[in-house]
Amino acid sequence: RYEPCGLSQLYAMRYGTVPIVRWTGGLCDTIVDSTETTVRLGTGTGFAFQSRTAADMIGCLDRALTLYRRPLDWRKIQRRAMGQDFSWNESAQRYLALYRSLAPQGVATASPPTAAPVLEKVVG
């Protein structure tokens, strides 16, 4: 089944499942590969491999298993992954800031619409 941007991985992250993915598409924007460096810096949120080869995937799995055997580091990765915000709230604010920075000076820009849905009263 095709899922754009690996939606199943994003939903799984919310529940503490650390993703192991091929580095492609939207996953490049959402997963921070858990290398020794990113673990030390506290930024890793999953595991990623580049090429479509079994050797690259197995290398990625080996890295994941190595960190899995370090429960404190593994739990930190889980917590970071669970704390990711993939809603449109932050993305929309960044797009709005970009569009405003590109607008010519003096051009009025509208306020962003609220994210809350509009409720209508239905009269029966």
Side-chain angles (χ1 to χ4, degrees), residues 54-75:
D56 209 13
M57 185 179 79
I58 290 170
C60 184
L61 290 170
D62 283 341
R63 285 189 300 114
L65 289 171
T66 297
L67 277 167
Y68 181 76
R69 291 182 193 106
R70 294 168 25 197
L72 294 176
D73 287 333
W74 185 262
R75 188 68 183 138

Side-chain angles (χ1 to χ4, degrees), residues 24-94:
T24 184
L27 293 172
C28 296
D29 299 331
T30 55
I31 306 296
V32 177
D33 191 21
S34 295
T35 63
E36 288 297 328
T37 302
T38 60
V39 169
R40 188 174 53 256
L41 294 173
T43 57
T45 60
F47 297 89
F49 57 98
Q50 295 279 337
S51 66
R52 296 185 210 184
T53 65
D56 209 13
M57 185 179 79
I58 290 170
C60 184
L61 290 170
D62 283 341
R63 285 189 300 114
L65 289 171
T66 297
L67 277 167
Y68 181 76
R69 291 182 193 106
R70 294 168 25 197
L72 294 176
D73 287 333
W74 185 262
R75 188 68 183 138
K76 288 176 185 176
I77 294 167
Q78 284 181 305
R79 286 189 180 134
R80 268 192 302 280
M82 291 168 69
Q84 298 297 300
D85 180 8
F86 297 111
S87 71
W88 274 101
N89 294 334
E90 186 172 328
S91 296
Q93 292 302 318
R94 282 191 270 152

